[in-house]
């Protein structure tokens, strides 16, 4: 779906002594404007959009510190706070009328992927809006107590530079590589796949997206089990963040990134495979009950160390099926990896499930045993390569047994 953009024009009254312009010394035609404006002017402008990679989390210590300095340190806010950075389409300043005209552009479908708007300082902006709108705070009228904030306005920035520029500017609250990759349009091909499947909005592609059901890093970690360029699959459990970082295009890649190209090979089966991972997840209780019944024992699935029961059932993102528990990634990731060869060999997902149901009870019995042997240290279980190899061997044996019976 092609984004819909709306032009936004913001006006600030700024005296010449509070507005400075710097030209690009490299002769690139870029400019920077530094202005000091009252914080209530920021509230009036409502610039809640821009090429900012994160949603704003107002419950952090950083946000709390911004709020405290705004309310408690009258006259000092612009010194305590690093300010707000805007990426502008155009800027005009009238020395006679003191009017600063800033032309921005808002993506109506995804405001925080707008090309022009708030590039950094999203938390400062959000705290100011929240303090005035929700808390009823008012900027003091006495001149010496007024709260101002510094605006740095960039003009002439190439769109291809936005992702790296935002990453460099957002250091005081680290920005995840996934957020930057999304901002840089490097994962548009994958997001479009999930949009077609109707699950895009259930995946958190940006930091502090509390409305989503699953983190984008987790989705990429599971898909990376299928990525031929990720040679050590254990990294999908131990270093998902680094795998996402490896997706970023760097100068040494000379136009192509092998890890990203490898991830793209998963595109035809991405949704189906993730739905199969959900199937494994939902089947764990059934497999455990069967393994216990075969052994003549009573089942107690909910008491397993790697299982957390829900009060209410949750709907799995990719299979759209309800489930009353959550399994730890230290179990689910090795299980998902065990079926990779079957998934890449068999084109019919029904066969994946047939193999899974045949070997599932043995797989979970193995996981329970290893977890006990590791003294219920789930992280140690997830990082245990011999376990990954054993589960894979069990699946392969079940697969070839099924093939031989035909």
């Amino acid at each position: 779906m092609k984004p819909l953009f709306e032009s936004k024009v913001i006006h600030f009254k700024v005296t010449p002594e509070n507005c400075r312009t710097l030209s690009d010394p490299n002769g690139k035609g870029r400019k920077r404007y530094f202005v000091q404006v009252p914080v209530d002017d920021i509230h009036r402008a409502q610039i809640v959009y821009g090429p900012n990679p994160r949603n704003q989390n107002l419950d952090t210590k950083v946000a709390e510190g911004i709020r405290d300095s705004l309310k408690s340190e009258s006259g000092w806010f612009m010194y305590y706070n690093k300010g707000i950075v805007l990426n502008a389409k155009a800027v005009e300043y009238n020395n006679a009328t003191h009017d600063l005209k800033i032309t921005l552009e808002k993506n109506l479908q995804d405001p925080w992927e707008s090309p022009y708007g708030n590039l950094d300082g999203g938390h400062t902006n959000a705290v100011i809006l929240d303090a005035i709108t929700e808390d009823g705070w008012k900027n003091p009228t006495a001149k010496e107590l007024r709260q101002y904030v510094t605006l740095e306005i960039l003009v002439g920035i190439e769109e291809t530079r936005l992702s790296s520029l935002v990453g460099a500017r957002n250091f005081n609250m680290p920005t995840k590589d996934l957020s930057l990759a999304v901002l840089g349009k490097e994962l548009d091909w994958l997001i479009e796949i999930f949009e077609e499947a109707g699950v895009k909005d259930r995946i958190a592609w940006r930091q502090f997206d509390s409305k989503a059901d699953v983190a984008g890093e987790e989705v990429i970690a599971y898909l990376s089990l299928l990525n031929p360029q990720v040679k050590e699959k254990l990294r999908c459990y131990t270093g998902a963040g680094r795998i996402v970082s490896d997706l970023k295009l760097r100068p040494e890649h000379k136009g192509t990134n092998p890890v990203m190209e490898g991830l793209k090979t998963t595109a035809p089966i991405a949704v189906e495979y993730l739905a199969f991972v959900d199937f494994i997840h939902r089947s764990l209780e059934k497999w455990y009950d069967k393994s216990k019944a075969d052994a003549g024992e009573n089942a107690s699935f909910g008491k397993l160390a790697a299982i957390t029961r829900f009060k209410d059932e949750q709907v799995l993102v990719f299979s759209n099926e309800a489930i009353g528990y959550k399994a730890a990634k230290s179990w689910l990731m090795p299980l998902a990896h065990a079926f990779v060869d079957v998934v890449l060999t068999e084109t019919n997902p029904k066969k994946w499930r047939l193999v899974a149901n045949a070997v599932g009870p043995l797989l979970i019995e193995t996981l329970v045993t290893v977890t006990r042997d590791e003294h219920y240290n789930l992280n140690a279980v997830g990082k245990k390569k011999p376990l990954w190899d054993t589960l894979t061997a069990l699946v392969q044996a079940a697969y070839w047994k099924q093939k031989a019976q035909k």
Side-chain angles (χ1 to χ4, degrees):
M1 184 183 298
K2 189 176 180 180
L4 297 175
F5 294 104
E6 177 182 86
S7 181
K8 309 287 284 189
V9 178
I10 308 298
H11 292 270
F12 291 107
K13 283 291 182 182
V14 185
T15 57
E17 60 266 26
N18 285 308
C19 180
R20 292 288 182 268
T21 308
L22 295 177
S23 298
D24 189 325
N26 299 112
K28 298 290 186 179
R30 301 182 287 252
K31 282 186 178 181
R32 291 194 293 168
Y33 291 77
F34 289 90
V35 300
Q36 297 174 153
V37 299
V39 294
D40 28 340
D41 282 2
I42 296 297
H43 179 264
R44 177 181 52 79
Q46 295 289 312
I47 309 175
V48 286
Y49 52 89
N52 193 305
R54 296 182 295 238
N55 294 342
Q56 286 70 53
N57 183 354
L58 299 187
D59 295 325
T60 65
K61 289 185 177 180
V62 171
E64 182 182 343
I66 295 171
R67 190 183 300 270
D68 286 347
S69 60
L70 175 66
K71 291 184 174 183
S72 306
E73 303 290 344
S74 297
W76 284 92
F77 186 67
M78 66 179 178
Y79 297 104
Y80 281 27
N81 186 273
K82 71 173 187 175
I84 298 170
V85 184
L86 302 180
N87 186 45
K89 193 171 186 178
V91 178
E92 299 174 29
Y93 182 65
N94 189 316
N95 274 289
T97 64
H98 300 172
D99 180 62
L100 179 70
K101 178 183 176 183
I102 307 171
T103 302
L104 307 173
E105 198 168 70
K106 181 178 181 180
N107 182 335
L108 296 178
Q109 293 157 325
D110 194 341
W112 288 117
E113 285 196 18
S114 303
Y116 301 103
N118 195 317
L119 184 148
D120 183 27
H123 285 78
T124 295
N125 186 75
V127 167
I128 291 171
L129 300 185
D130 189 67
I132 295 175
T133 302
E134 302 298 330
D135 299 346
W137 177 84
K138 293 183 179 179
N139 201 1
T141 56
K143 185 177 180 180
E144 69 276 10
L145 300 179
R146 296 278 287 165
Q147 295 287 44
Y148 288 77
V149 68
T150 302
L151 285 182
E152 180 183 357
I153 308 160
L154 310 179
V155 185
I157 302 298
E158 302 93 325
E159 187 174 348
T160 56
R161 288 283 184 173
L162 276 180
S163 176
S164 56
L165 178 59
V166 169
R169 286 301 187 108
N170 281 263
F171 268 140
N172 71 335
M173 186 177 289
T175 305
K176 290 186 177 180
D177 284 314
L178 177 62
S179 296
L180 296 175
V182 171
L183 181 64
K185 311 298 182 185
E186 296 166 70
L187 288 170
D188 277 5
W189 63 273
L190 183 59
I191 293 174
E192 287 173 7
I193 290 172
F194 292 131
E195 185 171 25
E196 289 179 10
V199 297
K200 172 197 165 190
D201 293 338
R202 297 186 63 187
I203 304 170
W205 297 108
R206 308 169 62 82
Q207 280 174 267
F208 309 133
D209 186 354
S210 59
K211 296 180 181 179
D213 298 306
V214 62
E217 287 92 345
E218 185 173 333
V219 171
I220 289 177
Y222 279 103
L223 286 181
S224 295
L225 293 171
L226 305 175
N227 186 341
Q229 294 299 325
V230 178
K231 304 301 183 183
E232 182 47 70
K233 303 300 184 182
L234 198 63
R235 289 180 57 210
C236 299
Y237 174 76
T238 61
R242 180 57 189 270
I243 288 178
V244 173
S245 176
D246 288 346
L247 295 173
K248 294 283 293 176
L249 186 64
R250 292 181 170 82
E252 63 266 24
H253 294 142
K254 298 180 180 179
T256 60
N257 178 346
V259 180
M260 180 67 84
E261 294 306 309
L263 186 64
K264 287 180 179 179
T265 66
T266 71
I269 60 171
V271 174
E272 197 67 64
Y273 174 68
L274 292 168
F276 177 61
V277 174
D278 281 353
F279 169 81
I280 293 173
H281 198 171
R282 187 176 63 86
S283 299
L284 292 180
E285 184 168 19
K286 177 183 69 175
W287 293 344
Y288 182 73
D289 289 347
K290 186 175 188 310
S291 73
K292 285 298 182 183
D294 290 346
E297 302 174 13
N298 294 323
S300 54
F301 181 75
K303 295 181 180 180
L304 294 175
I307 302 299
T308 301
R309 283 287 190 188
F310 295 138
K311 183 177 180 181
D312 300 310
E313 287 192 327
Q314 310 290 317
V315 178
L316 294 168
V317 171
F318 299 98
S319 66
N320 201 34
E321 296 171 315
I323 187 172
Y325 59 87
K326 179 178 178 63
K329 189 171 72 170
S330 52
W331 275 22
L332 200 54
M333 183 74 73
L335 282 171
H337 171 261
F339 288 90
V340 164
D341 288 342
V342 174
V343 167
L344 295 176
T345 302
E346 290 288 350
T347 58
N348 186 351
K350 290 182 179 180
K351 294 182 179 179
W352 309 348
R353 289 164 172 75
L354 287 174
V355 175
N357 280 328
V359 73
L362 183 55
L363 296 179
I364 194 167
E365 182 181 334
T366 303
L367 281 166
V368 170
T369 300
V370 171
T371 302
R372 183 182 63 244
D373 292 345
E374 289 293 333
H375 306 289
Y376 305 99
N377 182 337
L378 292 175
N379 191 40
V381 172
K383 294 191 292 186
K384 196 173 182 67
K385 190 174 186 303
L387 171 65
W388 288 55
D389 294 340
T390 297
L391 296 176
T392 300
L394 291 173
V395 170
Q396 283 293 301
Y399 172 61
W400 288 109
K401 180 178 179 181
Q402 188 182 89
K403 294 276 286 186
Q405 291 174 343
K406 292 185 177 181

